[in-house]
Amino acid sequence: MSLKVEPLTGDALRRALPALARLRIAVFRDYPYLYDGTLDYEQHYLETFAASKGSIIVVAEDAGEIVGASTGAPMLEHADAVAAPFRAKGYDLDRIFYFGESVLLASHRGRGIGHSFFDHREARARSLGGFTHTTFCAVVRPPDHSLRPVHYQPLDAFWGKRGYARIEGLLAGFSWKDIDQPEPDEKPMQFWMHTL
């Protein structure tokens, strides 16, 4: 079987960063993110993630080509914009492991790779010890957004099956440029959480 999903570390990870940056731009360009990204920003973001002591970057490869990737890191090793909403609500940040993103080419969806991404990241949180929760956030778009595809299916049901629940009122704001907008603006990001 040519498809494999595994964490990347060291030199293998460094060599993969440009491909991972291109993948993020390609996947996040689609709805609901509509992200108009740049390679410079993406490589810097991924290098910062890779430098985190507790981080994990999981990659899906098919016949040697990277078709998906997923990241995770201790909350305290990630950007403060992620931690701030948890801090404001009194959460113990030392016990939360944050999942950055999962990106997967449409051609490889529905093959269990998304589950593998969650399995690897949850295993990383457990192996580090001390973490009681894992969390991630997802962009919130209005249901009547002009670029929403007719047959778009949100991932809420998939996340629910994995044991994640939307935490009402726990939101962050992240700014980026949409493909149909001239300037970046802030989008609400809803957090979901799971007890390990």
Side-chain angles (χ1 to χ4, degrees):
M1 182 171 160
S2 62
L3 181 64
K4 63 180 181 177
V5 181
E6 61 187 7
L8 282 187
T9 58
D11 290 342
L13 174 55
R14 294 284 170 203
R15 287 193 301 272
L17 289 179
L20 294 175
R22 289 190 298 274
L23 179 69
R24 277 177 45 92
I25 289 172
V27 174
F28 280 142
R29 191 171 180 84
D30 292 339
Y31 188 87
Y33 286 90
L34 305 172
Y35 172 59
D36 190 9
T38 67
L39 281 175
D40 283 346
Y41 173 83
E42 291 303 317
Q43 280 204 238
H44 174 72
Y45 168 80
L46 288 165
E47 285 168 2
T48 301
F49 222 113
S52 165
K53 291 179 183 174
S55 71
I56 182 171
I57 296 181
V58 184
V59 171
E61 290 186 36
D62 191 357
E65 178 188 355
I66 294 175
V67 296
S70 191
T71 64
M75 177 71 77
L76 287 175
E77 293 180 19
H78 205 67
D80 193 57
V82 172
F86 289 87
R87 189 176 289 114
K89 292 195 177 285
Y91 283 91
D92 184 352
L93 303 186
D94 284 316
R95 298 190 171 277
I96 301 173
F97 194 87
Y98 174 69
F99 293 171
E101 67 277 296
S102 288
V103 290
L104 185 61
L105 294 179
S107 58
H108 286 72
R109 293 173 193 164
R111 297 166 66 178
I113 296 172
H115 284 291
S116 291
F117 284 161
F118 273 92
D119 291 343
H120 277 285
R121 294 179 298 174
E122 289 167 5
R124 175 63 172 166
R126 288 187 183 97
S127 74
L128 291 170
F131 293 101
T132 57
H133 293 83
T134 52
T135 189
F136 65 87
C137 59
V139 67
V140 178
R141 295 285 191 181
D144 61 348
H145 193 284
S146 62
L147 295 182
R148 180 185 173 115
V150 174
H151 300 293
Y152 172 72
Q153 290 291 323
L155 293 172
D156 298 25
F158 169 72
W159 296 329
K161 286 178 185 174
R162 292 287 319 188
Y164 287 79
R166 180 186 290 111
I167 308 301
E168 297 302 333
L170 191 59
L171 295 129
F174 290 94
S175 184
W176 67 82
K177 182 185 173 305
D178 282 0
I179 58 174
D180 65 333
Q181 300 295 325
E183 299 293 333
D185 67 341
E186 190 173 271
K187 286 84 172 169
M189 302 287 287
Q190 170 68 56
F191 283 97
W192 293 65
M193 189 175 283
H194 169 66
T195 302
L196 287 173

